[in-house]
Amino acid sequence: MAGVLFGLAFGVLLQKGGVAKFHVLIGLLLLQDFTVAKVMLTAIVVGMIGVLTLHHFGKVNLHLKPTRIGANVIGGLLFGAGFALLGYCPGTVAAALGQGSWDALFGMAGLVAGSWIFAELSGWSKRTVEKWGDLGEVLLPDLLHVPRSAFAIGLGVALTSVILVLERFTIR
């Protein structure tokens, strides 16, 4: 039940933020509308600082997935190709469908088909792709040998600066 409620809240917030609209998403890909970038960067800053703060005080445990360079690169290329072709990402396609954008049905069909293909290929990918560049369970600050708190503060300041520059010098 909590998943349904949080999913609905997430969808409403995506819709209210305007990031589930096709023209806004395409605007990002054309480097004309940075609404999505500002929303995502804000989510990264808030989430990073929130999770690392909660972890620091022992309120949450981090459950890291192994970092696998090959799988990340291939997954990123597939995600980017799907985003460029459809104009939606997985979260925004669900929100767009919820707000009545019928073109999002094609994206949902693609998500189902892609999930099925991924499941069918999972045995092969575990033996091949997922072994390429396996760094294990590591966070970026650990990989860079930087204290997590200093990394979070530094990246938070840097990303907030990017958000402010985008807000100041771009057209909505």
Side-chain angles (χ1 to χ4, degrees):
M1 190 60 169
V4 170
L5 292 175
F6 279 108
L8 285 171
F10 182 68
V12 167
L13 292 173
L14 284 177
Q15 196 277 330
K16 289 294 184 190
V19 297
K21 293 181 173 66
F22 180 80
H23 70 279
V24 173
L25 291 159
I26 290 299
L28 175 66
L29 295 176
L30 296 173
L31 301 177
Q32 296 173 345
D33 185 337
F34 293 92
T35 302
V36 175
K38 291 185 283 189
V39 168
M40 292 303 299
L41 290 172
T42 301
I44 290 168
V45 170
V46 171
M48 174 186 62
I49 292 173
V51 168
L52 290 179
T53 300
L54 290 171
H55 178 69
H56 175 76
F57 289 109
K59 300 296 182 188
V60 297
N61 293 321
L62 297 179
H63 301 284
L64 304 177
K65 293 186 70 133
T67 299
R68 296 178 173 133
I69 304 299
N72 288 345
V73 168
I74 292 169
L77 290 171
L78 287 170
F79 177 91
F83 190 4
L85 289 171
L86 182 65
Y88 294 112
C89 67
T92 58
V93 75
L97 185 61
Q99 69 187 16
S101 299
W102 290 100
D103 60 331
L105 282 174
F106 293 102
M108 294 302 269
L111 285 170
V112 171
S115 297
W116 179 77
I117 292 168
F118 177 78
E120 289 297 315
L121 295 176
S122 64
W124 172 81
S125 68
K126 284 186 189 332
R127 294 187 308 273
T128 57
V129 176
E130 292 187 29
K131 293 186 178 187
W132 302 343
D134 189 351
L135 301 178
E137 296 176 357
V138 63
L139 291 174
L140 192 54
D142 301 335
L143 191 63
L144 298 173
H145 305 292
V146 176
R148 289 179 182 175
S149 56
F151 181 85
I153 291 168
L155 186 59
V157 168
L159 293 180
T160 301
S161 299
V162 170
I163 295 166
L164 294 173
V165 166
L166 287 174
E167 185 66 22
R168 174 75 173 98
F169 295 107
T170 62
I171 301 170
R172 291 180 198 232

